[in-house]
Amino acid sequence: MSCELFERLGIAGDERLASPGAPGTITVTNPATAEPIGAVRLDDERAYDRVVAQASESFARWRSVPAPERGQVVRAIGDEFRKHKTALGELVSLEVGKILQEGLGEVQETIDIADFAVGLSRQLYGLTMPSERPSHRLMEQWHPLGPIGVISAFNFPNAVWAWNAMLAAVCGDTIVWKPSLFAPLTAMASNAIADRVARALGHPGIFNLVIGADQVVGERLIADSRLPLVSATGSCRMGKHVGAAVAQRFGRCLLELGGNNAAIIDQTADLKLTIPAIVFAAVGTAGQRCTSTRRLIVHESIMDDVCRRLVAAYKTVRIGDPLKDGTLVGPLINQRSVDGFLAAIDAAKQQGGEVLAGGAKAEVAGLRGFYVQPTIIRAPKSNRLAIASDETFAPILYVFSFKTLDEAIAMQNGVAQGLTSAIFTDSVRAAEAFLAASGSDCGIANVNAGTSGAEIGGAFGGEKETGGGRESGSDSWKAYMRRQTNTVNFGTELKLAQGIRFD
Ligand code: NAD
């Protein structure tokens, strides 16, 4: 099946493809079956250097192509992703175990951000300001930044690259992408699609891929001063290391790191809307989204009702082959994640948590993959559960209670990460308090909408240990450009700022 998919995606002849077990390769495993689906040859330092040299050379040409023309290249790339949406969505499912609907949704995100970037290519606006000096013009313009490094996590093997790459491309940058070693095939296919289109339009070397071990290629990339920006998506642990290494050489970092997202349900919430929103956000992608709801903070007066409804809803969630119609929860990425899931549940129990649903591995007939049961754990009477401060990348939802909104907001903010948050309420006061400066401290705060499933139009990212980066919509494009302030004297006299006389 994968061979046929590679054909459809145009990577069947890719020289990186190898036989599983061959030296210098990694084997890619289908998490739904625990069976190999292919092997990929890893790049070494020399291969890495060749790729970055190519990206640097191409940047020297690409930066001078008018931005709207760059936008036309991205338009054609978006169209190509439209043609390959089904095949690429299937490959995402196969490689990282997302259900097909989510695999397709991920590719749609790539198409959406390409559309956004096309419009943006005519809107890379700088400001002009009134100068304090006569016959002077004061303005800012935005220039391309350089070849940029993109490090992506396994759980969005296509869209995270696209958020960066489509914007960077219209901004006049070239891209060196280092994907997760759990999802190199999707990266090969995605990069090949973009590169094919750009080459056919006369622009080779804009989209570049390097697949290698963190200690070999990853370390080299973050230390490489040819890359003025490194956009890194992944765990807080990785971000701390990458952030420090890039800062060391005065590079810029765009960090999109872990989340520990909470949803507050107050006593006025419309539970018909709330319960499905929570279930999707907590169990979708088997809890392996940076935006997954991990903590639920429920008003004490509706606690029992909410728990009952959630448990009933969890019973209807079908776990199984992610490519099969009707499956809502696929596998975790690997055995290590299953072990992490089980360890977190053990810790929660030891800390007094009560397992209301799930709590164990799941068996799926005929498949040996890494399946677990979506789990709900209610905090003990003390309302404390230390394990809930960690981001366990699995479908575990911890439930806490609150009496006052201030208390709920303090609980929501009381973790190291600050990615997404939500409140479910019919009270305008509660909603506005949640969105106010003294409300949620996260990069994303929603009302009556879950913590996951952001649209590309808004800036995406989080505060605190989530890293502070912003990607995707709004004015996130500014991270991929350098700002230059220009003063032009079109008079005949030398005038100094601040009225200084220097005769
Ligand atoms: P991870 O941190 O294990 O790996 C992420 C990427 O970093 C991989 O490509 C990995 O190879 C690379 N990496 C690790 N060490 C490196 C080094 N020394 N030098 C260079 N690169 C290095 O994360 P993961 O398990 O792939 O993904 C899950 C994590 O990602 C979760 O914490 C999740 O919340 C986070 N995530 C965040 C966002 C966001 O936008 N905030 C989006 C997706 C995932």
Side-chain angles (χ1 to χ4, degrees):
M1 173 179 200
S2 45
C3 283
E4 181 248 319
L5 258 188
F6 297 166
E7 294 277 356
R8 275 157 65 199
L9 289 163
I11 56 165
D14 195 307
E15 58 189 24
R16 288 179 198 270
L17 290 176
S19 313
T25 67
I26 44 142
T27 299
V28 185
T29 302
N30 177 353
T33 59
E35 282 161 8
I37 44 176
V40 173
R41 212 175 300 288
L42 294 180
D43 288 320
D44 59 13
E45 283 103 334
R46 282 179 40 215
Y48 167 85
D49 280 334
R50 273 199 305 276
V51 169
V52 179
Q54 169 176 301
S56 304
E57 246 178 70
S58 304
F59 172 68
R61 291 189 299 273
W62 183 238
R63 66 182 165 190
S64 300
V65 173
E69 201 179 316
R70 299 195 295 250
Q72 290 310 309
V73 175
V74 170
R75 175 200 293 276
I77 292 171
D79 285 345
E80 200 63 12
F81 275 105
R82 279 186 173 84
K83 283 189 212 149
H84 289 92
K85 179 174 168 181
T86 306
L88 195 54
E90 279 175 32
L91 181 57
V92 169
S93 271
L94 201 62
E95 198 171 30
V96 302
K98 284 187 188 192
I99 60 168
L100 183 57
Q101 276 304 310
E102 290 182 303
L104 296 172
E106 174 157 1
V107 183
Q108 186 59 45
E109 233 177 287
T110 292
I111 294 165
D112 292 345
I113 197 71
D115 284 354
F116 180 90
V118 176
L120 185 65
S121 69
R122 291 183 182 268
Q123 300 175 75
L124 303 170
Y125 302 137
L127 297 172
T128 56
M129 306 83 169
S131 169
E132 64 190 48
R133 290 171 277 182
S135 303
H136 277 63
R137 183 152 67 96
L138 183 58
M139 64 177 194
E140 286 176 352
Q141 53 175 341
W142 293 88
H143 287 311
L145 191 58
I148 66 153
V150 174
I151 295 174
S152 57
F154 80 83
N155 65 328
F156 277 92
N158 166 256
V160 161
W161 160 77
W163 287 0
N164 286 282
M166 299 301 120
L167 293 200
V170 296
C171 289
D173 302 334
T174 55
I175 295 99
V176 177
W177 179 16
K178 193 214 79 60
S180 162
L181 289 186
F182 293 111
L185 296 171
T186 303
M188 283 162 57
S190 306
N191 197 72
I193 289 170
D195 182 48
R196 238 177 5 239
V197 172
R199 262 174 211 280
L201 294 172
H203 303 291
I206 314 296
F207 301 96
N208 306 281
L209 185 64
V210 52
I211 299 178
D214 294 338
Q215 290 317 314
V216 181
V217 154
E219 288 295 329
R220 210 168 175 92
L221 185 153
I222 61 184
D224 193 338
S225 50
R226 290 173 293 180
L227 305 175
L229 170 71
V230 174
S231 173
T233 301
S235 57
C236 298
R237 179 195 51 76
M238 177 279 290
K240 268 184 192 149
H241 174 70
V242 169
V246 176
Q248 193 69 29
R249 60 174 174 87
F250 295 105
R252 286 194 214 162
C253 237
L254 198 170
L255 296 176
E256 296 283 355
L257 310 176
N260 188 349
N261 317 296
I264 296 171
I265 308 180
D266 85 357
Q267 59 277 38
T268 70
D270 176 352
L271 294 185
K272 280 200 303 300
L273 170 158
T274 304
I275 299 296
I278 299 295
V279 176
F280 174 72
V283 313
T285 325
Q288 296 174 113
R289 287 192 186 205
C290 51
T291 53
S292 295
T293 302
R294 309 206 177 279
R295 298 176 297 134
L296 201 56
I297 304 169
V298 186
H299 191 266
E300 57 177 9
S301 64
I302 54 167
M303 183 66 161
D304 290 340
D305 189 19
V306 166
C307 287
R308 214 172 22 248
R309 288 178 192 235
L310 276 175
V311 170
Y314 269 49
K315 285 196 178 128
T316 67
V317 168
R318 279 180 302 276
I319 307 166
D321 182 350
L323 281 164
K324 206 164 134 192
D325 253 4
T327 300
L328 290 180
V329 174
L332 295 181
I333 188 71
N334 52 29
Q335 184 57 41
R336 214 171 133 211
S337 287
V338 175
D339 295 343
F341 163 86
L342 294 172
I345 291 168
D346 275 351
K349 283 186 194 159
Q350 274 171 28
Q351 292 163 15
E354 181 193 353
V355 177
L356 302 183
K361 287 206 288 192
E363 298 302 328
V364 174
L367 299 177
R368 288 193 305 117
F370 310 112
Y371 298 93
V372 299
Q373 298 171 350
T375 296
I376 305 174
I377 298 181
R378 189 170 170 168
K381 284 218 163 54
S382 66
N383 218 20
R384 284 179 211 288
L385 205 51
I387 186 70
S389 301
D390 298 342
E391 180 199 43
T392 301
F393 222 49
I396 305 177
L397 182 66
Y398 301 107
V399 188
F400 300 87
S401 68
F402 76 91
K403 287 186 174 55
T404 67
L405 185 60
D406 284 350
E407 186 194 350
I409 291 174
M411 286 166 71
Q412 124 76 35
N413 291 345
V415 290
Q417 310 85 344
L419 183 51
T420 71
S421 57
I423 188 167
F424 290 85
T425 181
D426 272 359
S427 155
V428 175
R429 283 189 187 147
E432 290 295 332
F434 184 70
L435 302 183
S438 52
S440 165
D441 65 0
C442 291
I444 295 168
N446 299 334
V447 176
N448 292 334
T451 58
S452 71
E455 299 179 19
I456 59 100
F460 181 91
E463 303 299 337
K464 304 193 290 187
E465 291 193 7
T466 302
R470 289 297 183 278
E471 278 178 358
S472 200
S474 185
D475 66 351
S476 306
W477 60 271
K478 291 178 176 169
Y480 305 88
M481 302 199 85
R482 63 185 170 89
R483 185 197 314 236
Q484 188 178 65
T485 304
N486 309 121
T487 306
V488 180
N489 177 0
F490 54 93
T492 53
E493 285 177 51
L494 179 66
K495 295 275 182 196
L496 299 179
Q498 293 86 45
I500 291 173
R501 294 182 55 185
F502 195 74
D503 295 331

